[in-house]
Amino acid sequence: MGKMTLVATVSLACLLCTATIALAADPGTEDPNNWPQYNRTTNAWRYSPLDQVNKENVSKLSVAWIAHGGDITMGIQETPLAIDGVIYSITSGDRVAALDGKTGRELWSYEPKLDPLVKKVLFAPYSRGVAVGHGMVFIGTVDGRGIALDQKTGKQMWETHLTDFANCHGCNFTSPPVIAGDVLTFGSTAGELATQGKIFGVDAKTGKKLWEFNTIKDDPHSWPGESGKYGGGGAWMPGTYDADTDTVFYGTGNPGKDFINSERAGDNLYTDSIVALDPKTGQLKWYRQEIKQDVWDYDSPYEVMLFKKDDKNLIVHMNKSGYVFVLDKNDGKIENIWPISDVKNFVKDIDKRTGELIGRVELPMNQETLICPSTFGGRSWNSGAYNPKSGLWYNNVLDFCGYLKPVAQKDDPKDYGTGHTGSNDFGRLVLAPDGRKPGRLDARDPFTGERKWTYEMDVPGFASALTTGGGLVFNGDPLGMLRAFDADTGKVLWSFNTGSGMRSGIISYAVDGEQYILVPSGWGSYAALLLPPLFPQLEKVPAASTLIAFKLAK
Amino acid sequence: MTRGFVMVAVVVILIGDVAFSEENIPNLKDPTMIAAGHDLFLGKQCAHCHGADGRGGINLTRRVLDPKGVFQSIADGREKSGLRMPAWRGVLSDDEIWQATAYVLSISQQSK
């Protein structure tokens, strides 16, 4: 190597070092020690590159600390964040806390005074996470506000009322906002509510509302007559911000009334879709509807994963139907569609080029119709995890069905506790007709759906998975068992009884050279209310709201 | 109209309005009340968690329940063992909450 080449190489290396350090200062970058946003990185992979805990030593994991999260109502559903050795956590009632990542000691906490109406609405009082950036911790509240806290002290910096909480059937926020540069985007609940779901853009520094995007398109062809007035939609899980194209991607919720489509005989845009928005203006760049005129409650608010493959920029995204859409990131063009399970009868098939649903099963009024998958979906809202080393995407598959029975229902956005569903319930749950196990953890190629391994369960998983650079997959089940799998083979390498079921997101982070696995444990949510008839084992699962951190025993 | 007549009329209206207040338990075994309560039970989607026949995830048929406790749970909501039921006071009238109470008691252990 010549002298000049050496100098140039060193200079380039230093430049890269500088760039890496600069990037690592902000959440959403690739600092392996941190878990800085809901799905860890902007590609939404839920992959931690940390490899101190690996296949050879995972059996030596032991408890480092345990912290009580707070109120146990509806369990603990969050994915906590870990930034520079501090854990940021949100639990029931929108209680936020910062904890020392080495000890679990609480550094500060914050609990907003919530609107008393929260006690009447359908979706409360749980939250699935916080966002951290600009020296602040941001939350969306269950009474429809955006709130910013000082990252170091927990002191409230600003609050903004975003949803018309009392007049929108209690539409609110149960997930964190997305940080898109200087803008925060908040997606509201709306499926099952007599309202029109919105995505809001807010100035991160001041809290000023910049724009709102209506997930119900103002178009009589899409929504004949008055049918769009209470069309639902919304975006109740976090989106993905792509800095390369300055785009925020959201998956949207289902149309209402859920099980009656006779009054909304259009395609019902932009429900059950991916929408690509300009975060500065809220302008729609493109959309891809995955379930047209949904009548089975197959929302699409799940994680929007980003990939580069064969010089293509791709999105991989699943909706509740269990169909996975592989799309061109730039325009939403379909590259492939594959099913996560063959337990499905709501359509005969799907056109893998156009996405057209073939052979739809409609729901006659006042009669039960068996629909697979159930309203819980082929997978619940909890994210999967993709490991770039194995090339596999790990998901908790739900292989059970439900009988749906539409009944007439009045529109009433003040009837807070009643879902705008056109039914008396969310469906009578039953096992799959072929009698197979009702759940499994699947490892599949995210682009083709080819399955590498599967782990069957008597009670399906309802937690977000974690995969790591140590070649591991961590997954928790509703009965409380946390398991570590070999990411390549599916072999169970370690397990631990956390004492309550998991409905949350497992993360990994490192402080002072030690890797931690952090597991929120505390069974709750609507799953805890609705599943026991099908899974009687769940009746005796104790509630909790606990954060359990593991590390290797010394 | 005399002042006395107005007073009587007001009292009659008030009594009519609060005939089934929270403190004034109506006849909960009245089949009409139970039937109206069943309609509310279905229409307000109590079946989500309790099942169409009360044998859902939160099974009411195994429980020993008392009228005021059921009324209060429906009116003010319930948070126990990590589970949550929304509050219905203000959405349902006291009369309607008593009707729903009558139905719940009709399928609970106490009435058998």
Side-chain angles (χ1 to χ4, degrees):
Chain A
M1 188 182 288
K3 194 175 178 183
M4 287 300 290
T5 310
L6 179 64
V7 170
T9 305
V10 170
S11 299
L12 178 61
C14 286
L15 185 66
L16 289 173
C17 284
T18 306
T20 303
I21 290 165
L23 283 170
D26 286 318
T29 55
E30 294 288 344
D31 184 339
N33 297 326
N34 290 344
W35 191 285
Q37 57 178 306
Y38 186 76
N39 286 312
R40 185 169 182 275
T41 42
T42 51
N43 54 27
W45 288 359
R46 282 196 181 244
Y47 168 72
S48 167
L50 296 172
D51 59 4
Q52 186 179 77
V53 179
N54 54 48
K55 296 178 189 182
E56 282 68 43
N57 62 20
V58 66
S59 62
K60 295 187 174 63
L61 271 183
S62 63
V63 174
W65 55 263
I66 297 176
H68 185 55
D71 183 1
I72 63 173
T73 303
M74 296 295 260
I76 185 167
Q77 301 189 31
E78 69 162 337
T79 294
L81 304 187
I83 300 170
D84 300 334
V86 177
I87 308 300
Y88 300 91
S89 166
I90 186 166
T91 51
S92 192
D94 289 329
R95 181 182 189 275
V96 184
L99 311 174
D100 183 321
K102 288 181 73 171
T103 65
R105 181 175 63 88
E106 191 168 285
L107 305 174
W108 56 257
S109 68
Y110 167 86
E111 195 160 358
K113 188 174 189 309
L114 295 172
D115 187 322
L117 188 58
V118 163
K119 284 202 171 293
K120 295 183 181 177
V121 304
L122 268 184
F123 302 123
Y126 48 87
S127 177
R128 280 129 191 187
V130 303
V132 175
H134 303 282
M136 289 182 269
V137 177
F138 303 107
I139 62 171
T141 67
V142 288
D143 56 6
R145 287 175 288 165
I147 291 179
L149 310 175
D150 183 282
Q151 187 179 348
K152 288 200 163 32
T153 65
K155 182 186 167 197
Q156 184 174 309
M157 305 298 284
W158 54 254
E159 70 166 334
T160 302
H161 288 263
L162 293 171
T163 74
D164 188 8
F165 185 54
N167 298 306
C168 68
H169 209 177
C171 70
N172 58 4
F173 303 113
T174 53
S175 287
V178 173
I179 299 175
D182 293 333
V183 177
L184 305 175
T185 58
F186 293 78
S188 75
T189 58
E192 289 81 56
L193 302 179
T195 191
Q196 296 186 333
K198 308 275 177 56
I199 299 168
F200 300 91
V202 171
D203 184 309
K205 293 191 174 74
T206 65
K208 181 186 173 191
K209 189 178 109 175
L210 303 174
W211 51 262
E212 62 182 52
F213 173 81
N214 194 339
T215 61
I216 303 303
K217 187 182 183 187
D218 183 10
D219 177 356
H221 296 293
S222 195
W223 296 93
E226 293 285 303
S227 63
K229 183 177 180 184
Y230 298 128
W236 48 273
M237 290 300 292
T240 291
Y241 174 62
D242 176 41
D244 289 347
T245 57
D246 194 24
T247 305
V248 62
F249 301 101
Y250 270 96
T252 62
N254 60 287
K257 307 181 179 83
D258 294 32
F259 308 121
I260 301 175
N261 56 354
S262 57
E263 294 168 0
R264 47 179 173 86
D267 46 13
N268 305 155
L269 293 172
Y270 303 100
T271 62
D272 292 353
S273 303
I274 289 185
V275 292
L277 304 178
D278 180 333
K280 292 187 178 64
T281 64
Q283 289 295 306
L284 181 68
K285 294 185 176 184
W286 59 260
Y287 71 90
R288 166 62 57 189
Q289 189 174 47
E290 295 174 339
I291 304 291
K292 184 187 292 187
Q293 200 190 102
D294 177 11
V295 74
W296 313 280
D297 187 16
Y298 288 155
D299 310 51
S300 305
Y302 295 0
E303 72 274 19
V304 179
M305 301 170 68
L306 306 182
F307 291 89
K308 284 189 178 173
K309 184 173 187 294
D310 302 332
D311 296 326
K312 285 186 176 176
N313 290 304
L314 299 175
I315 283 173
V316 174
H317 179 256
M318 189 196 317
N319 60 65
K320 261 203 221 170
S321 77
Y323 276 113
V324 177
F325 283 65
V326 183
L327 306 173
D328 187 318
K329 189 182 82 173
N330 296 312
D331 56 14
K333 180 175 169 291
I334 295 172
E335 296 280 334
N336 191 22
I337 303 172
W338 56 270
I340 200 161
S341 173
D342 57 352
V343 178
K344 55 179 171 56
N345 72 346
F346 75 103
V347 289
K348 282 193 169 58
D349 203 354
I350 190 166
D351 187 313
K352 291 175 178 53
R353 290 177 301 107
T354 66
E356 198 66 29
L357 302 178
I358 301 165
R360 293 170 57 111
V361 174
E362 304 295 348
L363 306 179
M365 294 293 288
N366 304 307
Q367 292 179 38
E368 280 195 333
T369 303
L370 179 68
I371 294 295
C372 308
S374 79
T375 52
F376 278 95
R379 194 200 79 189
S380 190
W381 51 263
N382 305 84
S383 302
Y386 172 76
N387 192 318
K389 289 185 174 175
S390 67
L392 296 170
W393 187 29
Y394 308 96
N395 282 290
N396 279 297
V397 179
L398 310 179
D399 270 343
F400 56 91
C401 308
Y403 282 95
L404 299 180
K405 181 182 174 185
V407 299
Q409 182 187 23
K410 289 179 184 171
D411 297 333
D412 184 358
K414 299 277 189 182
D415 191 358
Y416 299 109
T418 307
H420 187 64
T421 56
S423 68
N424 292 332
D425 59 27
F426 278 122
R428 183 165 58 86
L429 302 176
V430 290
L431 295 173
D434 64 5
R436 72 177 67 188
K437 297 261 190 185
R440 54 197 159 80
L441 180 68
D442 255 7
R444 290 181 185 262
D445 180 295
F447 310 107
T448 66
E450 182 185 354
R451 190 161 78 184
K452 177 81 177 292
W453 57 260
T454 192
Y455 176 82
E456 293 185 337
M457 291 178 276
D458 291 326
V459 178
F462 285 86
S464 297
L466 161 72
T467 186
T468 71
L472 300 169
V473 179
F474 290 86
N475 194 43
D477 77 16
L479 299 172
M481 290 306 293
L482 172 67
R483 295 181 180 86
F485 297 85
D486 183 318
D488 295 306
T489 66
K491 183 182 176 188
V492 177
L493 301 175
W494 174 80
S495 64
F496 184 92
N497 186 344
T498 67
S500 182
M502 279 155 279
R503 190 74 171 105
S504 52
I506 306 164
I507 70 164
S508 187
Y509 63 95
V511 190
D512 292 344
E514 287 189 296
Q515 182 184 357
Y516 293 78
I517 308 294
L518 180 59
V519 183
S521 173
W523 186 233
S525 81
Y526 273 100
L529 290 158
L530 305 180
L531 290 175
L534 189 60
F535 306 112
Q537 307 97 309
L538 295 176
E539 286 185 15
K540 298 198 185 305
V541 175
S545 179
T546 310
L547 290 159
I548 308 173
F550 299 86
K551 66 177 184 177
L552 292 174
K554 286 182 178 171
Chain B
M1 190 183 290
T2 65
R3 190 175 173 186
F5 180 78
V6 172
M7 288 290 288
V8 169
V10 168
V11 168
V12 167
I13 289 167
L14 283 176
I15 288 172
D17 252 357
V18 297
F20 298 145
S21 72
E22 186 172 350
E23 299 303 319
N24 184 9
I25 302 176
N27 177 11
L28 299 174
K29 294 191 185 297
D30 176 355
T32 310
M33 280 203 78
I34 293 171
H38 188 219
D39 288 345
L40 281 169
F41 187 86
L42 294 175
K44 299 302 171 189
Q45 300 173 346
C46 307
H48 279 329
C49 306
H50 297 301
D53 57 359
R55 291 183 166 81
I58 309 302
N59 191 321
L60 297 171
T61 64
R62 295 185 205 151
R63 298 178 181 222
V64 177
L65 301 170
D66 70 278
K68 285 196 173 179
V70 174
F71 183 100
Q72 191 167 9
S73 291
I74 298 171
D76 299 327
R78 189 171 166 83
E79 291 179 0
K80 194 176 179 196
S81 303
L83 304 176
R84 168 188 179 268
M85 181 171 116
W88 293 90
R89 196 190 295 276
V91 175
L92 296 178
S93 67
D94 281 4
D95 284 10
E96 290 173 316
I97 295 174
W98 277 124
Q99 289 166 358
T101 301
Y103 173 69
V104 169
L105 289 171
S106 78
I107 59 172
S108 73
Q109 286 290 319
Q110 191 204 37
S111 64
K112 292 176 182 171

